[in-house]
Amino acid sequence: MSNSWYHGNITRSRAEDLLSQAGKDGSYLVRDSESVCRAYALCVLYQNCVYTYRILQNSEQQLSVQASEGVAMRLFTSLLELIEFYRNENLGLVTHLQYPILKEDEGPEEPDEEQEQAPPDVPPRNFASTLVSADIKEIQMTLEKPALGNSSLLLSETLLQRLQDIDSRGVPEEHLQAIRQYLSLHISSDCEMARNGCQSLPQLKKLLMTLCSGLYSEVTRTLPILESLQSTFDSQLSPGFRQRSPLSGDSNTNHMISKLTQLTSLVSGLEEKMKTLITDGTVVKHRRSLIPPIVFEVKADSLGISQKTHLKVDVETGKLIIKKSKDGPDDKFYPSKKILQLIKSQKFPNKLVIVLETEKEKTHRKEYVFSDSKKREGFCQLLQQMKNKHSGQPEPDMLTIFTGTWNMGAAPPPKRITSWFMCKGQGKTRDETADYIEYDIYVIGTQEDPLSEKEWVDILLRSLNEITSSEYKLITIQTLWNIRIVILAKQEHEHRISHVCTNSVKTGIANTLGNKGAVGASFMFNGTSFGFINSHLTSGSEKKLRRKQNYFNILRFLVLGDKKLSPFNLTHRFTHLFWLGDLNYRVQLPNSEAENIVQKIKLQQYQELLPYDQLNMERRESQVFLHFNEEEITFPPTYRFDRGSRERYCYTKQKATGMKYNLPSWCDRVLWKSYPLMHVLCQSYGCTEDITTSDHSPVFATFEVGVTSQFVSKNRPGDPDSQGHIELMNCKAALHTKSHTKFYIEFHSSCLENMVKSPESEDQESDNGMLVVKFGVLPKLTPIISDPEYLLDQHLLVCIKSYDTDESYGEGCIALRMEDPKQQVSFFTPLAHHGEATGYLQGEICLPASEGKQREKLYDFVKIEKDETVAHKQPKPQNNQHLEQTWSFKGFVDKSSIMARMLGVQVCPPEAHSSIDHSGSIPVFSGQVKQSPPDTPPGYRGNEQRPKPGSPVQGRGDNPITPPPRSTAPAQKFTHPNTARTGLTVRQQDSHRTANPSDTHEMVDNPLYGAVSGALYPPAVQVRSLKPPEPMARPCPAIRPRSMTCSSTDKKPAPMDKTTVKNTLFTPAPQATPRPETVPTLQKQRPPVPAKIQATRESQHT
């Protein structure tokens, strides 16, 4: 379709932006409808509002504008005819069409830098069997030219240029000369014979015989050896019988192919015979046994005296044994049922409290101090494994998942890759005491994978067979060119997995080539949905915009999960969604800083580079991966290494166009997003250091996630207590839109039999660029099961749609878990559509249901003990505070978050509600929030990493890594990208405020395994100062132009105490948050004054 006003499949929000930029009444454009297939949407601007009319197509391919009931429809044969008709006045539209909005010219797409373009006048080459644009044009030109001489000449020149570009250092010079001679002189002869119908190419055969001159003699020498070995394995032959193939001296091509076929047959026969011997038991499998008893040396406090003792964990028998000496007798043991809870200290990362049940049904707390935090975490994982194994529950409450991503660089893997699956290397890794714990599910994503599906799966299963004692089954595999995802699961879970779905999306040149794109897989595990995406995005430091387009195309067009959730994109279709791959985001620094970057990597000063990571920069501004989480990065950049070693970054390459730079970058990443209040714990996130066949290092990330079981209600359908419902009241949505339409809400949930649709909105008003929509009486939702044990584990998906076009204006998720279901609880959830923030929905919810309570989950076995000092300083943790402090949601919090805080409502951002046990993360310092790598203060390095010695690049040593002193040799050369913007915003000024050195230093997050939140509400982010503030100001992103703010006409909250209001609104947060535009600027910001007793206040007043 060549009409310039037709914009294809752009999003609704993008269409509104284009019309708003035009600013003229009568401006219009046509786009594809988001709600009806093969329909269009006509968008018209009038009085600063966008009116949308749906254009439908009947069975006879005729078009018509959807009209109200009783209005005659006009039919048109084409869009052009329809548009020309409505350019006339008074034909039913709000205004006639006057000014078309022309389609944006995206410009020609350039091939990826990884395809190594040659000089401009030379056609580029491609190693990955993908055709770049120049190749496509050349092939088309070759087919179009009728002259034989010209076509063969063009083919000869093209192949000669490709030969010149190929790395041919391993090819003998005489062979290269023979190839050049064939391509320049003899290829035309073969082309002519092929066009005349000849089935053979004599000149090519001569070239092959020249190149394979030594192959025939080698085959002749090798065949008798293999035949002798075959005879040894063949039991049917008599001892003196010998079998030899006659060796002929004829060395023509056909005979050589026959020899090669025979050689292949012999090799495969040897393989089969060896497999038979293994099956008969002649060879024993070397597989690891079950988890052996493991002893931890700890210190126990008794009457103020620290005594050394030993804790022995026997997972198989389900016992915790306390011993005074490692090899001494057992002093006391506790079965798993007597171990009630593990409580991690937040202030001391190596301290643990074990709550035990005594003989008289009383509880007893025992405090132990481990040698380091990794030992404590390994102990907790073993105890959790023991608790799960001996719980007696028929279905699991939690799963452990391994996710790995690796750009293989079109090279086969090494013989041994088990270190990847055992999370060995650099970054946040598991303690060796937890090596025997097996994961329930393995998800492996690869890019530039040169192997076949069968070869790669065999390698994966063989590797897992070496390090585990369980049998793993292939759940699914999906491949798009060289992008692949493989999912393996324990055989015991095979019957729990259902509804497996796979799909792929191409995002290469013109979205038609699969060298870049994504593959995805999804399935149901009992009652929990899982989604996994492996993507390979556009490469090149300067192509952030193209990567953003790749991301949104994958979100829109990758079809996975439940088809009933079609109104929702991928980020809302799954309880747990994991996104991994070579995302190709680079460190955005000048090429002149290359050596400085390498020096900082040697000193492990990753936190000084991460603020310049493009993915972190994009997420800070809510451009991509909205509401996703990523564990703290404490490992070196995984690209671009010199192949065969991890000791040197190969960041330059000489090309015909000049020097090409690929600065060391964190290209390979793993992110995740879960429904609110779901248990998610990232246990490790790092990269290997012994797999060196590619210029990328494999990356691993492991998770502990909560799951729900298929529930059978104990109540009968006729019981009065079995009837319950979900009530939503006083709901109000604030949408960032200029559309003029009515809205309604769709409710989706697995606990509902069908989708429920609300009546249209009662009232709406515009305020500060936001359309505030108020909904009246909403229908009561009747769940299929009202038992609280089931219902409180469920989630309610909401989708706000236009009454005219049925297009979505925002989707969100509300968790039904609450302390008292029968009481009205306020909620506040962000809305997003196609990966962009579109507003929020707030209101009240209650669940009048049958009597009962939620069963305690197995993952609640490990808790976090809040530090008393921190708890005294911090106000009561609320979800809305965490919402403001989460940088991934800064796009539109502003005034709405402050109002939500004043109202005390429950805020439901997905990243805030995941009950993530952050006991494994890097500590959060002043101005840094969990899951906010870019805001980490300069100079900080991960604690207690244990890389192997010997690599000068990473500055490794024999001792555990601790934060080393700051290097005084190179001066700080970096300037944060945000400082280049004109003006200094209020939030940027706040970011320059320094902490008081006299403040108490508190450890609130485990430096290796992250912070944790409570069962219902995540704790408020807590900070501490590690040392006096750095001289360089901590970076802080600027406010986005599309700031989502609450309506100023909202109902005012109940009166509050002045001191409370002041402290609520103006208390300096650990990290600067977006300030509302309507809040007056104070002349001088002061911290809240501590409360004083009445007598002191009166004496001061006097």
Side-chain angles (χ1 to χ4, degrees):
M1 190 173 298
S2 60
N3 299 317
S4 58
W5 35 257
Y6 174 67
H7 289 247
N9 57 8
I10 66 170
T11 62
R12 173 194 52 78
S13 60
R14 180 58 184 161
E16 291 183 6
D17 291 341
L18 292 175
L19 290 170
S20 299
Q21 292 172 11
K24 294 181 180 180
D25 288 352
S27 299
Y28 68 94
L29 61 83
V30 178
R31 59 176 174 84
D32 293 338
S33 172
E34 293 183 353
S35 58
V36 179
C37 182
R38 294 191 302 174
Y40 305 99
L42 172 61
C43 304
V44 185
L45 182 68
Y46 180 67
Q47 294 182 354
N48 205 29
C49 289
V50 177
Y51 294 78
T52 303
Y53 301 90
R54 191 155 56 185
I55 301 175
L56 302 177
Q57 192 175 33
N58 60 17
S59 57
E60 298 178 359
Q61 307 298 318
Q62 292 178 320
L63 302 174
S64 64
V65 176
Q66 187 177 18
S68 303
E69 187 175 354
V71 179
M73 290 191 303
R74 296 183 176 89
L75 299 178
F76 306 91
T77 58
S78 66
L79 266 180
L80 180 60
E81 180 184 352
L82 184 148
I83 294 300
E84 289 299 327
F85 177 81
Y86 283 104
R87 291 181 69 88
N88 302 313
E89 299 183 8
N90 303 323
L91 293 177
L93 302 184
V94 65
T95 183
H96 63 290
L97 307 181
Q98 301 179 60
Y99 310 106
I101 304 298
L102 303 183
K103 186 176 181 180
E104 297 173 301
D105 185 13
E106 298 179 355
E109 295 184 38
E110 299 178 358
D112 290 340
E113 63 176 21
E114 293 176 355
Q115 295 172 350
E116 301 191 12
Q117 302 176 67
D121 56 338
V122 177
R125 66 190 179 90
N126 184 0
F127 285 114
S129 70
T130 35
L131 293 174
V132 294
S133 57
D135 295 322
I136 297 174
K137 292 179 181 179
E138 288 180 3
I139 293 175
Q140 291 176 347
M141 292 172 60
T142 303
L143 296 177
E144 291 172 359
K145 295 209 174 190
L148 174 62
N150 292 340
S151 62
S152 59
L153 179 61
L154 179 61
L155 179 61
S156 174
E157 292 176 354
T158 302
L159 295 179
L160 280 172
Q161 182 58 51
R162 289 185 180 178
L163 177 64
Q164 180 180 349
D165 292 338
I166 292 175
D167 184 6
S168 55
R169 288 176 293 182
V171 182
E173 183 61 32
E174 61 271 16
H175 289 174
L176 277 177
Q177 186 62 31
I179 296 173
R180 292 192 191 101
Q181 186 177 4
Y182 170 76
L183 294 178
S184 58
L185 301 178
H186 306 303
I187 192 172
S188 57
S189 174
D190 280 350
C191 288
E192 184 176 358
M193 296 192 68
R195 289 179 179 275
N196 293 332
C198 183
Q199 298 297 323
S200 64
L201 302 176
Q203 298 298 330
L204 180 62
K205 283 189 175 183
K206 288 182 180 179
L207 173 65
L208 292 178
M209 292 308 304
T210 302
L211 299 180
C212 301
S213 57
L215 179 61
Y216 178 77
S217 59
E218 186 66 24
V219 171
T220 304
R221 187 183 66 85
T222 306
L223 266 177
I225 301 174
L226 294 178
E227 288 174 348
S228 300
L229 183 60
Q230 184 189 41
S231 301
T232 305
F233 292 151
D234 196 344
S235 58
Q236 296 180 358
L237 297 177
S238 60
F241 184 84
R242 291 185 179 181
Q243 183 179 2
R244 288 282 178 91
S245 297
L247 300 177
S248 171
D250 186 11
S251 60
N252 58 46
T253 305
N254 294 332
H255 195 186
M256 186 185 68
I257 294 176
S258 174
K259 290 280 186 182
L260 290 175
T261 304
Q262 189 177 1
L263 178 65
T264 305
S265 175
L266 283 174
V267 173
S268 60
L270 288 174
E271 239 178 30
E272 292 299 325
K273 289 181 180 296
M274 199 64 185
K275 288 180 182 178
T276 303
L277 292 175
I278 292 175
T279 306
D280 294 339
T282 307
V283 180
V284 181
K285 287 187 178 181
H286 296 281
R287 299 188 59 186
R288 200 173 58 180
S289 60
L290 300 178
I291 302 178
I294 298 177
V295 179
F296 294 83
E297 182 178 314
V298 297
K299 292 182 179 180
D301 290 334
S302 177
L303 300 177
I305 302 175
S306 179
Q307 298 179 349
K308 184 182 295 185
T309 186
H310 294 79
L311 301 179
K312 182 180 179 181
V313 181
D314 194 337
V315 175
E316 303 303 328
T317 61
K319 293 180 181 180
L320 173 63
I321 303 168
I322 302 177
K323 308 169 63 174
K324 290 184 179 180
S325 61
K326 184 175 182 180
D327 300 324
D330 299 345
D331 297 334
K332 203 168 187 178
F333 76 90
Y334 295 91
S336 61
K337 293 183 179 180
K338 298 290 185 180
I339 308 172
L340 303 182
Q341 200 163 60
L342 303 181
I343 304 176
K344 299 177 182 177
S345 171
Q346 210 174 32
K347 186 174 183 180
F348 303 101
N350 57 345
K351 182 179 177 181
L352 182 69
V353 175
I354 305 178
V355 181
L356 303 168
E357 181 182 342
T358 60
E359 297 177 357
K360 300 180 181 180
E361 297 184 356
K362 295 182 179 179
T363 59
H364 180 61
R365 293 167 58 99
K366 288 182 174 290
E367 292 187 2
Y368 297 100
V369 178
F370 290 77
S371 58
D372 56 54
S373 59
K374 290 184 69 172
K375 292 293 183 186
R376 186 188 75 170
E377 189 63 23
F379 177 84
C380 291
Q381 291 182 20
L382 288 172
L383 263 291
Q384 181 74 70
Q385 189 80 0
M386 182 176 71
K387 197 74 173 177
N388 297 346
K389 187 169 186 175
H390 299 278
S391 64
Q393 294 187 13
E395 297 296 328
D397 283 339
M398 52 180 283
L399 292 176
T400 53
I401 298 177
F402 173 94
T403 60
T405 175
W406 183 25
N407 186 320
M408 301 176 68
K415 294 181 179 180
R416 188 174 179 84
I417 57 174
T418 53
S419 61
W420 187 19
F421 307 122
M422 296 181 69
C423 303
K424 298 297 184 183
Q426 293 186 286
K428 179 180 174 182
T429 59
R430 290 200 305 184
D431 187 66
E432 61 271 11
T433 56
D435 284 348
Y436 284 88
I437 299 178
E438 302 167 353
Y439 297 102
D440 295 293
I441 297 174
Y442 283 84
V443 181
I444 298 96
T446 53
Q447 309 84 39
E448 299 184 23
D449 189 339
L451 305 179
S452 67
E453 290 186 349
K454 184 180 183 304
E455 289 175 328
W456 183 231
V457 171
D458 288 344
I459 291 174
L460 296 178
L461 291 175
R462 185 171 64 250
S463 299
L464 294 182
N465 191 43
E466 294 179 12
I467 62 175
T468 66
S469 59
S470 299
E471 291 288 344
Y472 285 87
K473 295 291 184 180
L474 176 65
I475 301 302
T476 188
I477 183 171
Q478 177 72 10
T479 304
L480 172 67
W481 287 25
N482 294 329
I483 309 171
R484 178 174 297 146
I485 188 169
V486 180
I487 299 181
L488 307 170
K490 283 185 177 180
Q491 189 173 11
E492 64 189 73
H493 297 316
E494 193 173 9
H495 68 284
R496 301 184 175 105
I497 296 176
S498 62
H499 299 83
V500 180
C501 179
T502 59
N503 197 236
S504 63
V505 171
K506 299 176 182 178
T507 63
I509 295 177
N511 290 333
T512 58
L513 299 184
N515 62 319
K516 295 293 186 291
V519 291
S522 63
F523 58 83
M524 292 289 298
F525 187 95
N526 285 343
T528 304
S529 57
F530 285 90
F532 301 93
I533 301 173
N534 171 34
S535 64
H536 192 187
L537 305 186
T538 300
S539 62
S541 177
E542 70 285 354
K543 296 182 182 178
K544 282 196 303 183
L545 179 59
R546 181 62 182 161
R547 281 190 283 274
K548 180 180 176 182
Q549 294 172 347
N550 293 165
Y551 167 75
F552 284 115
N553 285 340
I554 294 169
L555 271 187
R556 292 187 64 184
F557 304 119
L558 190 65
V559 181
L560 295 173
D562 190 354
K563 294 182 179 179
K564 295 179 181 179
L565 299 179
S566 57
F568 302 87
N569 63 31
L570 289 174
T571 61
H572 284 103
R573 291 186 190 177
F574 305 104
T575 311
H576 302 287
L577 174 64
F578 298 88
W579 194 309
L580 52 134
D582 181 2
L583 305 185
N584 256 321
Y585 285 98
R586 308 301 175 91
V587 173
Q588 189 167 311
L589 286 171
N591 294 335
S592 58
E593 296 287 349
E595 282 300 324
N596 198 14
I597 292 173
V598 173
Q599 290 301 318
K600 290 186 178 298
I601 295 174
K602 289 180 181 179
L603 298 174
Q604 297 187 347
Q605 297 176 357
Y606 312 136
Q607 301 301 326
E608 295 189 16
L609 300 176
L610 284 170
Y612 306 93
D613 174 72
Q614 290 178 340
L615 179 57
N616 290 337
M617 296 167 65
E618 293 280 271
R619 291 182 64 208
R620 276 201 300 268
E621 298 178 357
S622 300
Q623 296 293 315
V624 293
F625 291 99
L626 184 69
H627 302 155
F628 274 80
N629 300 283
E630 184 182 24
E631 185 56 43
E632 192 78 19
I633 293 179
T634 57
F635 52 90
T638 56
Y639 176 81
R640 181 178 187 248
F641 284 103
D642 191 9
R643 294 180 187 244
S645 171
R646 296 293 92 144
E647 298 182 359
R648 188 172 72 90
Y649 285 96
C650 185
Y651 58 83
T652 60
K653 185 170 185 178
Q654 185 65 46
K655 304 183 69 174
T657 54
M659 185 68 71
K660 178 65 179 177
Y661 280 81
N662 284 299
L663 298 181
S665 300
W666 288 275
C667 292
D668 311 283
R669 311 287 273 271
V670 179
L671 301 96
W672 79 94
K673 180 180 182 293
S674 298
Y675 280 172
L677 295 182
M678 285 301 298
H679 174 74
V680 182
L681 167 63
C682 184
Q683 295 178 323
S684 63
Y685 190 32
C687 66
T688 65
E689 52 187 354
D690 60 343
I691 301 176
T692 61
T693 54
S694 171
D695 51 5
H696 291 252
S697 287
V699 169
F700 53 80
T702 61
F703 300 89
E704 177 184 285
V705 299
V707 295
T708 57
S709 304
Q710 300 290 351
F711 186 82
V712 179
S713 178
K714 301 175 184 177
N715 299 325
R716 298 180 180 179
D719 294 344
D721 290 341
S722 65
Q723 300 300 323
H725 54 270
I726 305 170
E727 293 185 17
L728 292 97
M729 299 147 287
N730 305 322
C731 290
K732 179 175 62 176
L735 304 174
H736 185 88
T737 181
K738 290 190 175 182
S739 294
H740 187 278
T741 182
K742 293 289 185 179
F743 297 92
Y744 66 92
I745 303 179
E746 277 187 2
F747 299 98
H748 298 254
S749 178
S750 57
C751 68
L752 300 178
E753 188 172 357
N754 295 302
M755 179 270 294
V756 179
K757 180 179 177 181
S758 75
E760 67 178 51
S761 56
E762 289 184 347
D763 188 21
Q764 59 188 38
E765 56 188 9
S766 180
D767 178 60
N768 292 335
M770 300 289 288
L771 184 65
V772 180
V773 183
K774 298 179 181 179
F775 297 91
V777 179
L778 296 175
K780 293 183 179 180
L781 309 178
T782 304
I784 54 178
I785 300 175
S786 300
D787 193 320
E789 186 177 343
Y790 163 82
L791 194 58
L792 294 179
D793 278 336
Q794 305 304 311
H795 293 81
L796 190 64
L797 296 177
V798 294
C799 179
I800 299 180
K801 287 189 171 184
S802 164
Y803 194 78
D804 298 329
T805 62
D806 294 324
E807 292 184 334
S808 173
Y809 279 70
E811 304 101 45
C813 182
I814 304 172
L816 300 185
R817 181 180 299 180
M818 54 190 69
E819 294 181 355
D820 188 355
K822 296 186 179 181
Q823 296 292 328
Q824 293 184 8
V825 179
S826 298
F827 71 88
F828 182 99
T829 182
L831 299 176
H833 182 59
H834 289 323
E836 296 180 337
T838 60
Y840 64 86
L841 174 69
Q842 68 178 19
E844 296 176 340
I845 186 172
C846 68
L847 308 174
S850 60
E851 296 294 334
K853 62 180 182 178
Q854 193 176 34
R855 176 180 59 84
E856 186 175 0
K857 306 296 184 182
L858 287 174
Y859 50 75
D860 293 329
F861 175 63
V862 181
K863 294 288 187 181
I864 293 292
E865 182 180 35
K866 297 180 181 178
D867 180 54
E868 295 180 359
T869 309
V870 177
H872 177 72
K873 288 188 175 184
Q874 291 268 350
K876 184 178 179 180
Q878 294 180 350
N879 295 332
N880 44 18
Q881 292 177 356
H882 184 81
L883 170 66
E884 290 180 77
Q885 294 166 345
T886 305
W887 60 264
S888 64
F889 190 60
K890 284 182 180 178
F892 72 91
V893 173
D894 290 350
K895 187 168 68 175
S896 62
S897 60
I898 296 181
M899 183 181 68
R901 183 195 297 178
M902 294 175 62
L903 294 173
V905 300
Q906 176 183 355
V907 183
C908 303
E911 68 278 12
H913 278 350
S914 297
S915 61
I916 304 172
D917 185 351
H918 295 290
S919 57
S921 74
I922 301 304
V924 179
F925 300 108
S926 177
Q928 176 190 353
V929 180
K930 176 63 189 157
Q931 307 298 351
S932 302
D935 297 329
T936 309
Y940 174 71
R941 288 159 296 279
N943 189 20
E944 295 182 3
Q945 304 177 46
R946 296 176 179 270
K948 298 178 181 179
S951 173
V953 169
Q954 309 306 338
R956 297 190 289 263
D958 295 332
N959 297 326
I961 296 175
T962 56
R966 295 180 58 83
S967 174
T968 57
Q972 178 67 9
K973 299 182 181 180
F974 300 152
T975 58
H976 197 273
N978 287 344
T979 59
R981 302 180 181 177
T982 58
L984 187 63
T985 63
V986 177
R987 296 192 300 117
Q988 288 171 329
Q989 292 174 359
D990 290 345
S991 68
H992 288 262
R993 290 179 301 189
T994 57
N996 186 357
S998 63
D999 291 345
T1000 305
H1001 292 191
E1002 300 153 358
M1003 173 68 75
V1004 297
D1005 276 343
N1006 188 321
L1008 200 60
Y1009 296 100
V1012 76
S1013 61
L1016 294 180
Y1017 301 98
V1021 178
Q1022 303 170 1
V1023 300
R1024 73 176 181 95
S1025 298
L1026 180 66
K1027 57 184 178 180
E1030 301 289 344
M1032 189 182 73
R1034 190 168 293 108
C1036 183
I1039 301 175
R1040 288 187 64 197
R1042 284 182 56 177
S1043 176
M1044 306 295 182
T1045 59
C1046 288
S1047 171
S1048 60
T1049 59
D1050 293 341
K1051 295 181 180 180
K1052 295 182 179 179
M1056 301 174 62
D1057 181 76
K1058 293 181 179 180
T1059 306
T1060 306
V1061 175
K1062 180 179 179 181
N1063 292 344
T1064 303
L1065 291 178
F1066 304 115
T1067 300
Q1071 177 176 346
T1073 57
R1075 295 177 178 269
E1077 298 173 2
T1078 57
V1079 174
T1081 306
L1082 298 182
Q1083 295 180 356
K1084 188 175 182 180
Q1085 289 278 353
R1086 293 183 179 179
V1089 180
K1092 300 180 180 180
I1093 61 175
Q1094 183 66 21
T1096 305
R1097 287 201 298 266
E1098 291 178 357
S1099 63
Q1100 287 183 349
H1101 179 69
T1102 304

